[in-house]
Amino acid sequence: MKINTKYLGEVEINEEKIIEFENGIPSFLEEKKFILLPFDESTPFYILQSITTSELGFVVVSPFHFFPDYQVKLSDATIEALTIENEEDVAVFVILTVQEPFTNTTANLQGPVVINSKVQKGKQISLNDPNYQTKHLLMPQAVGKEG
Amino acid sequence: MLVLSRKKDQSIMIGDDIEITVLAIEGDQIKLGINAPRSVEIQRKEIFLAIKEENASAASTSVDLLKQLTGTFLSQEDKK
C-alpha cells in the first residue's frame, strides 16, 4: 500500500511491516499504527511514521550508537504487553527532539520505544532509572563548534 | 475525585487485585506499597507527563531541520 509521510513524501510500504501500538503513544493515544522508515542510507536516523496521520512522524534512532552505555530494562508488564519471547526479537529506539541549532537536538532516553519485531508490536515505555531524562544531547561533542 | 483518609499500615483496594498500602509517613513524604498484577503498569505521574510533553515537541520537527541534522551528523562522523 501507499502512504503519505511527513518527511519522505509518498512511499510504498509493506503492510506486514506495520507496527501496532495498542495504547498509542503518550500525547497521541489515538495513533495505533506506525511504520519505521529509514531517513536515508547514510545515517542511522529512522522515521516512525503514523499510518493514519501523514503529518505525524517521529525522528528516531537506535540509542546504542550515540549512548553506548545505555540500558533498557523491560518490566514484566512490557514483556507481557508485547508478547516478548526472545531478547533477539526486541528493537529499541529513542525519539529525537530536533532543535535549531541542530547541535541542540536531544534524545528521550527516559521514554524509549520498544518493538517486538517478531509480532510487530510496539510500545513507548518509561524507565525509572534516575540517570535517564527526556532530554539528552545527541551529539555533545558538536556543541559550541557549530550552529 | 474520591477522597479517603488512611493511617499508616492501612490499605485501599482498587478492584479486587490492586492493593495500595501506606507504609510510612515522614513529614510531607508518604511511602506507598503497591500490590498489583504484573500486567498493570505503575509509574510516577511526573515521568509520564514529561514523556508526553517531549513527544509533543518531538512531533513538531520540520523537514528542513531534519536535513540539517543529518548533515551535522555526517560531518561529525567524518571527524572520528
Side-chain angles (χ1 to χ4, degrees), chain A residues 3-21:
Chain A
I3 61 163
N4 275 313
T5 69
K6 180 173 177 183
Y7 297 103
L8 304 161
E10 193 183 68
V11 291
E12 175 75 37
I13 60 160
N14 178 350
E15 279 162 67
E16 287 170 16
K17 297 280 180 200
I18 294 175
I19 303 161
E20 187 107 20
F21 284 73

Side-chain angles (χ1 to χ4, degrees), chain A residues 85-98:
Chain A
E85 289 171 353
N86 293 307
E87 206 178 311
E88 304 90 74
D89 299 332
V90 177
V92 175
F93 291 90
V94 293
I95 299 177
L96 301 186
T97 303
V98 182

Side-chain angles (χ1 to χ4, degrees), chain B residues 45-77:
Chain B
K45 185 176 177 185
E46 62 270 25
I47 296 180
F48 175 77
L49 291 179
I51 288 174
K52 193 175 154 186
E53 200 176 294
E54 198 59 28
N55 284 346
S57 10
S60 66
T61 302
S62 74
V63 179
D64 285 353
L65 210 49
L66 182 58
K67 287 191 175 138
Q68 291 178 27
L69 174 76
T70 56
T72 306
F73 168 77
L74 290 172
S75 71
Q76 286 295 316
E77 288 291 289

Side-chain angles (χ1 to χ4, degrees), chain A residues 14-79:
Chain A
N14 178 350
E15 279 162 67
E16 287 170 16
K17 297 280 180 200
I18 294 175
I19 303 161
E20 187 107 20
F21 284 73
E22 226 169 46
N23 301 313
I25 285 183
S27 275
F28 304 94
L29 298 181
E30 301 307 312
E31 299 285 345
K32 300 186 193 287
K33 286 178 191 295
F34 286 85
I35 190 156
L36 260 182
L37 304 166
F39 182 65
D40 65 29
E41 301 295 304
S42 51
T43 68
F45 303 106
Y46 287 81
I47 307 300
L48 186 65
Q49 170 68 46
S50 161
I51 300 293
T52 44
T53 308
S54 56
E55 313 84 67
L56 182 63
F58 295 98
V59 184
V60 302
V61 75
S62 167
F64 308 107
H65 180 95
F66 296 92
F67 308 96
D69 300 330
Y70 185 52
Q71 282 190 340
V72 175
K73 207 165 176 233
L74 299 181
S75 68
D76 291 336
T78 302
I79 290 170

